[in-house]
Amino acid sequence: MTVRLICYVLLTTLTLSAPARGEAEFTEFLIDSLTFGTASVQGCFIDEDIHMDIAGAVIEDNDVVWWRSDGADPPNWTKHTIDTYLSGARSIYTEDINDDGRTDVVAASYTGRRVAWYRNEGGDPVEWTRFWVNTSYYHDPHEVCVDDLNLDGYMDVLATSSSQHDVAVWFGDGQDPPNWTKQTVRTNFRMGKSVRSGDIDGDGLPDIVGAALQDNDVMWFRNDGGDPIVWEPGLIDGDFYGVHRVQAVDMDNDLDLDVVGAAYLGNMVAWWENVDGAGGDWTRHNVGYGVNKACVAAGALLDDDEIMDIAATGQQSDEVSVWYRESLTAHTWTKREVDGSFDRVWPLDICDLNGDGREDIIAASGHTGCNRVKWYRNEPTTAISGEVPELRGELHVIPNPFNPQTSINFTLNGAGHVSLAVFDSRGREVAHLLEEHLPAGRHSVTFAGDDLASGVYHVRLNSTADRLACRLVLLK
């Protein structure tokens, strides 16, 4: 069946002065003031609309929740509960586990010693069914992640434990619900705090990056393939004091993955350069100190210079801060405070919450904090004078659903620079289709999903005159 969609999003009018150095400016907005002890937040698309929502794990409330956006700018948020009792809910990760086109949620129960996944049943409001990933106790899971590690087309679940001191993977078999087979990747990983995935050595197989707080270790585990997978451990840094969080991300635009980390006991943020592109040679670059009890650090393009920046949270310094790198050839960073009075702030995520093409920041107060969840809108760095006309453009995706390709057709009300990209259910860019100046009128771009899994995606167009968005569904 062919579905023709026409979606509109209106451009918000802003009058701003440009900040120094072209750095991003952020405007603070409150999402929720009655959520007690949020430990994890993640921007994602939960329901059937085109607006990015937020999922969260809440320690003191023992809840797994999500906040629905109504698409306004700034959005109005409505809190919904996924699970009213997941003991010590510590970490969440969103992904389509059962390949039904809906975004599911995986969560860690720290004191309940379980890892759960919640199947998104759809509906309005969205309904959820809980399933356990682990059949035996997994003590104190601190962080979870999802990826297809063995490339069999089915999602797998990763976790690390603070008291069992290991890194583990549960492989899904593609059933609905999946049957899960556990593999221990690493033992003697003392006080495991963070686990993430990414192809570190560029061989096409997803590897694992992890942080062990008590060992002060940042490590990666090379996926050597096989059934079961053989994991080869590699030490990135054995002296990053009290490391709490790591992220695999390309920090120097050389097309291989580096690692960003936050040291909770060392009160600092750093990144490690993957020098040889294969994970065999690492150089640590200290970004900055004084992020007291640094919980999270994440790399992203936050301003307009195409050089990766880093956002971080400090639980003792009550701060959300952004660090800007001066140039790709220099390792000098400038710190800018986004929020300096956010009591016991812990989790942080970076995503485009309002669909304007700029990365925003989500952060929340952790346990025994101020019970608040906030987001910080990334404002334009170029001043806008006068009023911007209220314009409506058209965006058509035909066919939709599609397999393997579709046509993205759009009409521009005026000439200007156009950026067109496709994002997955987590808000991660999977295809950048256009970045050029186009005249007013009708245009068409072909999008091929050959290398993508079935599921829901979102196409976003940002231009001088229009901001447009639409859902598209890939069915293989």
Side-chain angles (χ1 to χ4, degrees):
M1 179 177 69
T2 299
V3 180
R4 189 171 187 265
L5 300 180
I6 303 176
C7 305
Y8 303 112
V9 180
L10 299 184
L11 180 66
T12 298
T13 301
L14 293 168
T15 302
L16 298 170
S17 59
R21 295 184 58 257
E23 298 163 358
E25 285 190 336
F26 292 90
T27 302
E28 173 187 320
F29 297 94
L30 180 66
I31 296 171
D32 191 348
S33 61
L34 294 172
T35 298
F36 295 80
T38 305
S40 183
V41 291
Q42 196 170 77
C44 54
F45 296 97
I46 293 288
D47 55 6
E48 299 297 322
D49 62 25
I50 62 172
H51 313 306
M52 182 167 282
D53 310 302
I54 301 170
V58 189
I59 299 176
E60 293 173 28
D61 289 342
N62 300 305
D63 282 350
V64 181
V65 301
W66 70 285
W67 292 270
R68 182 183 183 276
S69 166
D70 68 352
D73 191 5
N76 300 296
W77 301 94
T78 303
K79 180 179 174 180
H80 299 269
T81 301
I82 297 173
D83 192 343
T84 57
Y85 192 78
L86 187 73
S87 180
R90 183 62 60 101
S91 173
I92 54 100
Y93 200 92
T94 61
E95 190 61 82
D96 183 4
I97 296 294
N98 58 336
D99 199 26
D100 65 353
R102 300 190 185 104
T103 301
D104 307 307
V105 174
V106 173
S109 172
Y110 192 79
T111 51
R113 299 173 289 181
R114 305 296 292 269
V115 176
W117 81 278
Y118 299 90
R119 186 171 65 195
N120 183 338
E121 308 289 4
D124 186 12
V126 175
E127 296 184 353
W128 303 87
T129 302
R130 183 177 71 184
F131 300 91
W132 298 117
V133 174
N134 56 320
T135 54
S136 58
Y137 281 141
Y138 186 66
H139 297 272
D140 302 338
H142 192 271
E143 189 167 84
V144 291
C145 182
V146 177
D147 202 347
D148 180 8
L149 294 172
N150 55 359
L151 302 183
D152 62 355
Y154 311 128
M155 288 297 168
D156 312 308
V157 175
L158 304 79
T160 187
S161 164
S162 288
S163 66
Q164 199 160 308
H165 309 302
D166 70 1
V167 176
V169 175
W170 288 266
F171 293 95
D173 65 354
Q175 301 297 310
D176 190 8
N179 301 298
W180 301 96
T181 301
K182 182 185 177 185
Q183 180 188 27
T184 299
V185 175
R186 175 76 171 185
T187 58
N188 197 30
F189 195 69
R190 295 187 301 168
M191 288 193 73
K193 291 296 181 183
S194 185
V195 62
R196 284 292 184 259
S197 63
D199 184 7
I200 296 295
D201 55 357
D203 65 355
L205 298 174
D207 307 303
I208 296 174
V209 178
L213 185 144
Q214 190 172 340
D215 293 330
N216 306 316
D217 282 351
V218 179
M219 296 190 68
W220 77 286
F221 305 94
R222 186 176 64 204
N223 183 342
D224 284 338
D227 186 14
I229 293 175
V230 176
W231 298 97
E232 181 68 29
L235 183 65
I236 297 174
D237 193 332
D239 191 29
F240 197 52
Y241 186 37
V243 57
H244 188 267
R245 179 69 182 272
V246 289
Q247 175 202 24
V249 60
D250 182 8
M251 288 297 298
D252 50 6
N253 296 348
D254 62 355
L255 302 181
D256 58 48
L257 291 180
D258 309 297
V259 174
V260 173
Y264 186 78
L265 300 180
N267 305 317
M268 66 177 299
V269 173
W271 74 282
W272 292 264
E273 181 182 353
N274 186 353
V275 178
D276 62 3
D281 185 8
W282 297 90
T283 298
R284 179 167 122 185
H285 302 285
N286 293 332
V287 175
Y289 296 87
V291 186
N292 296 336
K293 300 304 185 220
C295 286
V296 179
L301 290 171
L302 294 173
D303 55 13
D304 297 326
D305 62 4
E306 300 301 320
I307 300 173
M308 292 291 283
D309 312 301
I310 293 176
T313 56
Q315 192 169 66
Q316 192 172 78
S317 51
D318 299 331
E319 72 174 85
V320 179
S321 55
V322 171
W323 301 76
Y324 297 99
R325 188 176 177 183
E326 299 298 324
S327 72
L328 281 175
T329 57
H331 293 287
T332 303
W333 296 78
T334 301
K335 179 182 178 181
R336 299 296 185 214
E337 190 175 86
V338 176
D339 191 338
S341 58
F342 197 176
D343 186 30
R344 293 190 60 78
V345 59
W346 173 359
L348 173 146
D349 192 34
I350 300 174
C351 58
D352 181 7
L353 268 184
N354 59 340
D356 64 356
R358 293 182 295 274
E359 299 278 43
D360 308 303
I361 297 173
I362 311 167
S365 176
H367 53 285
T368 67
C370 65
N371 315 321
R372 294 191 172 193
V373 181
K374 302 179 185 179
W375 78 284
Y376 305 88
R377 186 172 64 194
N378 188 342
E379 307 290 10
T381 56
T382 302
I384 301 174
S385 60
E387 293 295 315
V388 177
E390 189 174 279
L391 299 175
R392 289 175 180 261
E394 293 185 356
L395 181 64
H396 310 254
V397 180
I398 302 174
N400 189 22
F402 71 99
N403 180 32
Q405 67 181 36
T406 188
S407 294
I408 301 173
N409 308 295
F410 55 94
T411 302
L412 299 178
N413 291 287
H417 187 84
V418 175
S419 177
L420 181 68
V422 178
F423 300 82
D424 67 8
S425 62
R426 270 277 289 113
R428 297 166 296 196
E429 184 177 299
V430 298
H432 201 92
L433 305 178
L434 271 181
E435 195 71 47
E436 61 183 90
H437 188 279
L438 292 177
R442 297 179 180 179
H443 303 272
S444 182
V445 175
T446 298
F447 170 59
D450 304 78
D451 298 328
L452 299 175
S454 298
V456 176
Y457 295 87
H458 295 75
V459 58
R460 289 179 178 172
L461 182 149
N462 287 284
S463 75
T464 307
D466 300 289
R467 275 172 40 200
L468 311 171
C470 202
R471 289 168 61 95
L472 57 160
V473 179
L474 174 59
L475 294 179
K476 291 189 172 181

